[in-house]
Amino acid sequence: MNWFYFQNIEELLISEYGEKDYRKIVAHAGIEEEYFISNNTYPDDYCLKLASSTANIAKKDIHQVQFSFGYYWYKATNNILRNSLMMGANRLKPLLQQLPEIFARFNIQFPFMNQMKLEISELSSKSIIISYHFPGQIAQESYFQGFLNALGDLYKEKICIDLIQPQNDTAEKAIFRVQWLWWNPHPTP
């Protein structure tokens, strides 16, 4: 993970739980606060440590916390990501079709991070199947669901995301079905 992600998560945690609980969360995770102000990269497991610590301190489900991390991170960085990676898609469906290429470009731009991989296996007028592979990390599905929901909100399209197959010891990738429930014919991302 890069420092920019952690600065955004720091903002989320302070806004949601206050400065005092933020400090408890970081201490419980075993991460020194100085990491949040440096430009260093961090081990990917720091994100899981922060989510686990947040769930423990805030008495929330870990998946709910991971979802909010993924959602907030995209919402906080959408201008940067949209301008540099999203290639001008003006609807959610074409953007989702471009996600494998977008993630490949992201991996090139940030080679120090674990390399995420997406694949599109089915596409219909009302749904798309997306396979999400995050090597070396299990239980990343909720982050990605938060990310996808933020995209739906950005494009003002109502979507339903079903986890068809979780990533685990026997399955190297998570598989999602994204269905369109409603869409805005005049989006303004």
Side-chain angles (χ1 to χ4, degrees):
M1 284 292 144
N2 68 354
W3 62 273
F4 189 64
Y5 175 83
F6 281 100
Q7 287 178 340
N8 284 291
I9 295 305
E10 177 185 32
E11 290 172 12
L12 169 66
L13 293 173
I14 291 171
S15 70
E16 289 270 325
Y17 307 108
E19 186 79 30
K20 183 179 174 184
D21 281 346
Y22 159 72
R23 292 189 188 287
K24 283 183 193 175
I25 290 166
V26 172
H28 186 266
I31 300 171
E32 295 181 33
E33 282 188 62
E34 291 75 35
Y35 281 106
F36 289 89
I37 58 173
S38 74
N39 289 343
N40 296 328
T41 58
Y42 308 99
D44 287 318
D45 70 334
Y46 274 26
C47 192
L48 187 55
K49 286 180 181 181
L50 276 174
S52 296
S53 180
T54 302
N56 187 298
I57 301 286
K59 309 271 189 267
K60 288 189 172 182
D61 178 71
I62 182 105
H63 298 291
Q64 181 183 8
V65 172
Q66 291 173 321
F67 180 93
S68 69
F69 280 16
Y71 186 91
Y72 185 84
W73 179 76
Y74 180 75
K75 294 292 262 190
T77 61
N78 83 61
N79 285 335
I80 293 167
L81 291 176
R82 198 170 77 230
N83 291 337
S84 66
L85 300 173
M86 299 305 186
M87 301 183 283
N90 64 358
R91 309 245 1 123
L92 182 59
K93 186 175 181 180
L95 174 67
L96 292 178
Q97 290 175 277
Q98 294 174 10
L99 276 182
E101 183 179 340
I102 292 167
F103 272 66
R105 290 177 66 202
F106 187 83
N107 289 336
I108 291 168
Q109 288 182 356
F110 302 100
F112 50 84
M113 295 176 65
N114 275 352
Q115 302 293 291
M116 301 168 281
K117 183 179 177 187
L118 294 179
E119 298 168 350
I120 305 298
S121 59
E122 285 182 36
L123 178 64
S124 73
S125 62
K126 296 208 175 205
S127 69
I128 189 169
I129 303 292
I130 302 173
S131 298
Y132 172 72
H133 179 73
F134 195 85
Q137 296 288 315
I138 294 178
Q140 297 289 323
E141 295 92 359
S142 298
Y143 292 110
F144 191 63
Q145 282 182 298
F147 172 79
L148 289 172
N149 270 279
L151 287 175
D153 287 353
L154 175 69
Y155 285 89
K156 297 178 175 60
E157 296 186 31
K158 182 78 171 147
I159 57 175
C160 175
I161 302 166
D162 296 315
L163 177 61
I164 298 171
Q165 172 187 295
Q167 182 176 345
N168 55 40
D169 293 334
T170 58
E172 66 178 32
K173 58 189 171 186
I175 301 175
F176 299 89
R177 176 182 296 114
V178 179
Q179 296 177 302
W180 283 265
L181 305 175
W182 176 85
W183 59 274
N184 181 353
H186 306 290
T188 55

